Amino acid sequence: MDLYEYQGKEIFRRLGIPTSDGGLATTPDEAKSVAERLGGPVVVKAQVLTGGRGKAGGIKLADDPDDARAKAEQILGMDINGHVVRKVWIEQASEIAKEYYLSLTFDRGVKRPLFMFTTQGGIEIEEVAEKHPDALVRLHVDPFEGYQPWQGRRLIFGGGVEDPNEQKQILAIVGRLYETFVTTDAMLTEINPLIVTPEGEVRALDSKFTVDDAALFKHPDIAEMRDLEAVPPEERAAREKGVTYVKLDGEVGILGNGAGLVMSTLDVIALAGGRPANFCDLGGGGDAEGVVDALEVITADPKVKSILFNVFGGITRCDEVARGILTALDRMTIEHPIVVRLDGTNAEEGRQILDEASPENLYVEPTMLDAARRAVELAA
Ligand code: GDP
Ligand code: MN
C-alpha cells in the first residue's frame, strides 16, 4: 500500500524525523485557512500516488493565504500522470541550501533492507545512479543484527557530508528511518529531497512510503489511511469483501481456488487464444457466500464477457462449490456465460448438481483446456 506524502510525513513525525508544519486541504478555501494558521509563505503540494509532481506543476510556492488559495485552485483537479488531484498538502515553505537523498528499501535479491544516500538529491535517483554512480552510497543492513550507527556514518562519510552539525542530524535521521521502516513493515521509504536549510537544519521535504500489504493487519492505523476513492470500484469491493482480486485487461473473468491454479488458468486462457480480464482467488473457501462475493467483484468489471470457474477440490469440496454457484445465480442476475471445470474432491457430485439444475448460461466442461477454449469462444 502506497501512502500519500502527507501520510508518510505523519509517520516520520511520530518517529522523530523532522518535517515542516502543515495541513491538508480539499478546497481552495481550506487551503487559505491552513495557510493563515501556518503564517508566512507556504508551499502547496498535490497529493497523488505518483512521483514527479514538481515537474508536472503540482507543487507551487505561495506568498500569503490568498496566494495559497489561488495556487490550490490551480492544482486541485489537475491530472498528474493519470492521477486526479483531490487533496493538497500545505506546509510552511522551506528555504533550501542543499538537497540530499536518503532511502531505505527492501532489496529482495539479497533479502535485506538497502540504504541509499547521496548529496545529489532533488533530482530523480535513477538519473543520479546513471550519471554519477560514485555519488550514490549503497549499504545493506543485516536484519538480524539490526541497524548499527557505524552504518549511518559510512553513508554520511561515503556521501561526502562534511559539516559536523549536518552529520549529527543526518545520522539521527538514518537511525530513525530504519526504525520507521521496521516498525511499520515498510517495503520502501524515501526522502527526496532531504534538505539542509541556510540555518543548517536538516528536514524531510518529501516522503515516499510503501507498506507491505501482507503486514497491514498489524497496523490498523496505517490500513485506515487507505484512500478508498482512489481505488477502482471493483478493487474496492474486492477489498471490502476480502476477495483476492487482480485486474487485467482481457475479456475472460477467472475464478479459481489457490494461486497456483489461478496462474495456470491464465496460461491456459492464453493458450486458447484469449485474454484474462481479471482473476479472483477463492482460496480455501468455496461456500456460497465466497462465490457470490467473487462473482459480484468479477462482473463489476465491464470488460468481462465470459467467466471461467476453475476449481480443484482439495479441502474445498466441488459439490459445495457447485451449490455455491447455484445459490449465487439465484441471488444475483448474471448475464455472462459461465464455464465451469471441477476436479478433485467430490467433482462427480459437483458436476451432477450443476447438470441437474442446468441454468442456461452455465457450461460444464471436463478439462481445464476444454473449459478455457469454451470460455474464450463465448467471450468472442
Ligand atoms: P516530487 O516532485 O513529487 O518529488 O515532489 P517534492 O516534494 O520532492 O518537491 C519537488 C521540488 O519542489 C523539491 O525538490 C523542491 O525543489 C521544491 N520544493 C518543495 N517544497 C519546497 C519548499 O518548501 N521550499 C522550496 N523552496 N522548494 C520546495
Ligand atoms: Mn520528491
Side-chain angles (χ1 to χ4, degrees):
M1 168 178 163
D2 295 330
L3 303 185
Y4 288 104
E5 173 196 5
Y6 78 94
Q7 297 172 324
K9 281 180 166 173
E10 188 183 317
I11 299 176
F12 283 169
R13 250 190 315 281
R14 266 188 237 159
L15 285 139
I17 295 173
T19 58
S20 306
D21 262 351
L24 197 66
T26 53
T27 64
D29 285 333
E30 270 173 35
K32 180 176 172 179
S33 65
V34 173
E36 271 163 358
R37 173 168 67 75
L38 295 171
V42 295
V43 53
V44 181
K45 310 184 77 176
Q47 297 301 292
V48 278
L49 297 175
T50 179
R53 296 166 302 160
K55 269 188 217 152
I59 292 177
K60 294 192 188 327
L61 288 159
D63 295 330
D64 55 55
D66 281 316
D67 194 18
R69 192 189 181 289
K71 297 287 157 58
E73 190 147 30
Q74 291 168 24
I75 295 173
L76 286 163
M78 191 182 264
D79 185 305
I80 301 181
N81 309 324
H83 298 254
V84 177
V85 183
R86 290 178 294 104
K87 291 182 277 193
V88 285
W89 171 248
I90 321 283
E91 69 176 28
Q92 265 166 356
S94 302
E95 280 188 67
I96 303 176
K98 298 172 193 162
E99 294 190 305
Y100 298 166
Y101 170 101
L102 174 67
S103 71
L104 183 56
T105 53
F106 194 75
D107 186 347
R108 289 174 187 272
V110 293
K111 300 178 180 168
R112 288 178 182 203
L114 167 69
F115 270 116
M116 287 194 272
F117 176 74
T118 175
T119 50
Q120 319 247 335
I123 54 168
E124 300 285 312
I125 193 61
E126 291 78 7
E127 202 178 318
V128 178
E130 196 180 305
K131 293 192 182 145
H132 318 279
D134 295 341
L136 185 64
V137 191
R138 299 159 50 92
L139 191 112
H140 287 100
V141 180
D142 181 329
F144 295 111
E145 274 174 17
Y147 168 76
Q148 312 286 327
W150 64 262
Q151 295 169 318
R153 288 196 289 273
R154 181 173 284 183
L155 285 174
I156 293 161
F157 295 132
V161 178
E162 275 157 15
D163 183 310
N165 180 38
E166 273 179 38
Q167 290 173 347
K168 200 170 128 217
Q169 294 175 73
I170 299 173
L171 190 66
I173 291 172
V174 170
R176 285 174 190 150
L177 190 64
Y178 188 80
E179 196 193 330
T180 304
F181 186 86
V182 172
T183 57
T184 60
D185 291 291
M187 304 299 289
L188 175 150
T189 49
E190 183 188 83
I191 306 175
N192 189 23
L194 177 70
I195 60 152
V196 185
T197 66
E199 294 76 40
E201 201 191 314
V202 181
R203 219 173 327 165
L205 212 64
D206 191 8
S207 146
K208 218 187 233 179
F209 209 123
T210 308
V211 178
D212 185 352
D213 280 329
L216 282 176
F217 75 99
K218 291 197 269 176
H219 309 289
D221 54 327
I222 297 176
E224 157 175 299
M225 288 178 170
R226 194 186 297 272
D227 183 359
L228 293 176
E229 283 172 51
V231 177
E234 65 269 18
E235 280 183 35
R236 200 185 315 166
R239 215 166 272 138
E240 278 162 11
K241 294 173 192 295
V243 174
T244 308
Y245 170 85
V246 175
K247 167 119 182 70
L248 302 165
D249 57 6
E251 303 76 37
V252 183
I254 291 171
L255 232 156
N257 64 330
L261 182 66
V262 169
M263 288 312 204
S264 30
T265 311
L266 300 182
D267 288 345
V268 179
I269 287 290
L271 184 68
R275 293 188 324 149
N278 53 39
F279 67 82
C280 268
D281 181 1
L282 287 173
D287 54 351
E289 215 52 60
V291 174
V292 171
D293 285 348
L295 277 174
E296 269 173 9
V297 170
I298 285 191
T299 52
D301 177 351
K303 290 190 77 179
V304 173
K305 297 283 178 294
S306 70
I307 298 170
L308 170 56
F309 254 90
N310 192 8
V311 171
F312 189 89
I315 298 168
T316 311
R317 294 177 358 236
C318 291
D319 57 323
E320 200 175 325
V321 174
R323 274 185 216 103
I325 295 173
L326 294 179
T327 312
L329 290 179
D330 269 350
R331 264 198 242 166
M332 57 192 289
T333 329
I334 297 185
E335 326 240 281
H336 309 73
I338 302 176
V339 182
V340 184
R341 175 260 185 170
L342 298 172
D343 206 346
T345 311
N346 293 0
E348 203 54 52
E349 286 95 318
R351 281 196 287 266
Q352 214 169 331
I353 289 168
L354 293 177
D355 279 345
E356 275 161 24
S358 66
E360 60 179 282
N361 56 339
L362 199 87
Y363 305 78
V364 180
E365 293 289 343
T367 71
M368 204 154 132
L369 186 58
D370 290 318
R373 283 187 179 135
R374 177 61 70 103
V376 170
E377 180 192 308
L378 289 165

